[in-house]
Amino acid sequence: MNTYLIRLEIVRAVRDPRYLALAVATPIGFYLLFATLFGQGPNVPVNLMVAMAAYGAIWAVLSTTGPRIAQERELGWLTQLRAMPVPAWQVFTAKLLAGLASALPAILAVCLVAVLVKGVRLDPGQWAALVGAMWLGTAPFAALGVAVGYAVNADASYVVCYGLYMVTSAVGGLWIPPAQLPESFREVSGWLPSNRLAELGWQVAGPSPALWPSIGVLAAWTVGLGVIALLAYRRPRFAPRPAAAR
């Protein structure tokens, strides 16, 4: 594995001001707002922390994969990478890992604010399991972002990723508790990776975690979207030509 390529992708992602604003600052702001307005129950601050950590992590992953990959394709950068002595699977894997890595700061930032401002307390083992499970649980969104990045052009990729982000967040119960969603949304919510990502955190922070249903749904989404991403990467007809070639 070309570790330099992976480091390059990660550094470029976390230096993007839009990443810092939408994936880190916005979830923190929403957490503080919601926890102040609705944080009356004993578990509400923790539940909101998990929901907003998932909210930030999803956008972190999508924004550092889809739009960035589509832009690089149009600029011809990925064409140059294909001409270099770097195996295609390393380029593809680096994009996935960079997207996955970008989720970690978003998760940690919300958790840190929850501890410092709202006094959230969990056991050390729970904190480690919570952060680790939610971090790995963003894998389907990394695959989704890569698929979008290789399938559509730069202008459309941001719109597609943001639209998917908002829809999956709303229907997945990140803004409103899943139990309070309309019945039609509740029937769909449990099958969405956004809901299962948050469910992992809620279960880990709860007294009797039942993780396997969420892990199974997230794993299925990861495999399915990973196959789609690989097909989009390997089939040039799924992607527009670089701008220089037009």
Side-chain angles (χ1 to χ4, degrees), residues 101-112:
S102 68
L104 188 57
I107 296 170
L108 290 174
V110 174
C111 291
L112 181 62

Side-chain angles (χ1 to χ4, degrees), residues 19 23 56-66 99-103 138-143 145:
Y19 163 83
I58 292 170
W59 181 245
V61 173
L62 289 177
S63 66
T64 54
T65 49
L100 190 63
S102 68
T138 60
F141 295 99

Side-chain angles (χ1 to χ4, degrees), residues 122-205:
L122 296 175
D123 295 336
Q126 283 182 302
W127 280 119
L130 173 69
V131 173
M134 294 191 68
W135 182 29
L136 295 177
T138 60
F141 295 99
L144 174 60
V146 172
V148 171
Y150 283 112
V152 301
N153 61 36
D155 292 333
S157 64
Y158 187 91
V159 176
V160 171
C161 284
Y162 194 74
L164 291 170
Y165 169 57
M166 298 302 285
V167 170
T168 56
S169 295
V171 181
L174 302 186
W175 297 344
I176 301 174
Q180 298 179 18
L181 289 171
E183 183 177 354
S184 58
F185 282 15
R186 290 200 302 270
E187 294 176 356
V188 177
S189 180
W191 296 100
L192 292 179
S194 54
N195 174 269
R196 289 302 179 169
L197 175 60
E199 187 67 29
L200 272 181
W202 292 327
Q203 289 289 334
V204 169

Side-chain angles (χ1 to χ4, degrees), residues 241-246:
R241 292 173 296 172
R246 293 177 181 173

